[in-house]
Amino acid sequence: MRRSQLFLPTLKENPAEAQIVSHRLMLRAGMVRQSAAGIYSWLPAGYRVLQKIAQIVREEQDATGAQEVLMPTIQSADMWRKSGRYDDYGKEMLRINDRHGRDMLFGPTAEEVITDIVANEINSYRDLPKNLYNIQWKFRDEVRPRFGVMRGREFLMKDNYSFDLDYDSARHSYNKMFIAYLRTYARMGLKAIPMAADTGPIGGDLSHEFIILAETGESEVYCDKAMLDLDAPGEEVDFDSDLQPLVDRWASIYAATDEKHDAVNCPVAADDLVTARGIEVGHIFYFGTKYSTPLGAVVQGPDGNQITLEMGSYGIGVSRLVGAIIEASHDDDGIIWPESVAPWTIGLINLKVGDEECDAVCEALYGEAKRAGVDMLYDDRDERAGGKFADMDLIGLPWQVAVGPRGLKDGMVELKNRADGERSTLSIDDAKAWIAGKSA
C-alpha cells in the first residue's frame, strides 16, 4: 500500500479522552475512531490487525475440528426466557422491540441460539461430538465504557460451543480448547496464563480465564514464578489422547485473584508467587446441561434412551486482543507489532521523493514485495524524513527499510528492527532477497 493513498489519519498529540496506552496509540496511529460511547469504527490499519488476529483464531479453532458458523447479532428474547437468563442477565443486555412489538436483544453471547440450532438438528449420539464457533460482533451495555476497545460496549468475539454425550467427552472437548487457546496466544507473541475463574452469568462449575501480563494490566494477578517461562504445548500433543493430565498441570501451576492471594485455595506456596498486572483475553466454561435441559437439546443414546447433551462454551475477545497486544508491546515512540498480526510487515521509507535514484530503488523494492506477496507500506509522501520515521515508529511495523541518497552512493539501504531498534545496511539486491524471504 502506498502511504500517499492510504487513509491513515495519525495524530501527533495524545487525545485527552484516552486514559490508557492502547487507547492513546490506537487513536494516534489512526486505527480507530469513536462513533459513540464504547463503540468504534475500525479504520484500514486497525481493521487489518483485527482481521489478522481473527484469522489466527480461526486457524487454531479449525485445527481442533471446530466448524465455523455465523449467528445473528439480534436474538429473540424467547430463547433467553427458556434458559432463564433473560431477566437474570442484568442491564448489560440491550433489550429492544421490533416493529411488531416482539422482544429482541442485541446478543452479548450466543449459548441460547446455538443450543436451539443443535436441539432442532441433531437427534442421534452418532452425530456427536460437535463444536461450532462464531466470530461475530457482540454488545454489552457497560455502565462506564472506557479504555477504548479494552472495555467497549460493542466488540468482536470468537465464541464456540461444544456438544457431547457425557461428562468425560465434554471434559475432553474442554481440554482441546484449553490447549488451542495457549497456541493461539503464542502465535500472537503473547504469554497466556490460565487461571481458575468465576463462571459469572454464563454458569457452570468449571471455568478458566486466560491472562496476558502487561504493566498496564487491569487486574493484579499472582503467578508461579517457576512456571512463567513454560511454552504452549507443541504439535506433539495428540488431540485424540487423554489431555486431562496436561490441562490439570497447567491449571494448577498458576494462581490469581483480583484482589489478593488466596492462601487457602491456591495450590502454589506464597513464597513462590510473583505479583504482576494482567489483562483477560479469553474465557472458557464447562456447564454441563445448564442450557441443553431447558432448550431441549437431547439425543437418542446407544441404548435407545434420551440423553441430554453436555456443553461448554469458549470465548476470545478478538477486538480486545488488539488493545491487549499494544498494552504488552509498545515503547515511548509507539506500537511494536508482532509480525503475525502487524497491519503491514515492512515499512518502506523514501527519504527523498523526487530524487530519480531514490524513487527507482523504492519502486523496485515495492515491486518485489508485491510479487512476493509481502505486506508492505510504502511511504511515498513528499514530507520530511523525521516525520516519516516518527510515523513508522508510531504505527509499529516490525521492519523499516529506509532509502536515501547518502546510502545509495554506496549502493546500500538501511534496515531497522522496530522491536529492538537494531539497524543494519543491505545492498539493493540483498534487500530484494530479504523482502522476498519474508513471504515464507
Side-chain angles (χ1 to χ4, degrees), residues 297-317:
V298 298
V299 298
Q300 186 177 49
D303 59 1
N305 293 324
Q306 294 292 98
I307 298 176
T308 304
L309 299 185
E310 299 274 339
M311 290 179 59
S313 71
Y314 317 91
I316 288 180

Side-chain angles (χ1 to χ4, degrees), residues 150 185 208-212 218-219 278-285 315 317 320-321 324:
M150 294 285 290
Y185 301 127
H208 286 91
E209 290 181 355
F210 291 80
I211 302 293
I212 64 169
E218 59 195 338
S219 302
I279 300 170
E280 180 195 343
V281 290
H283 206 156
I284 62 177
F285 304 83
R320 181 180 176 85
L321 268 168

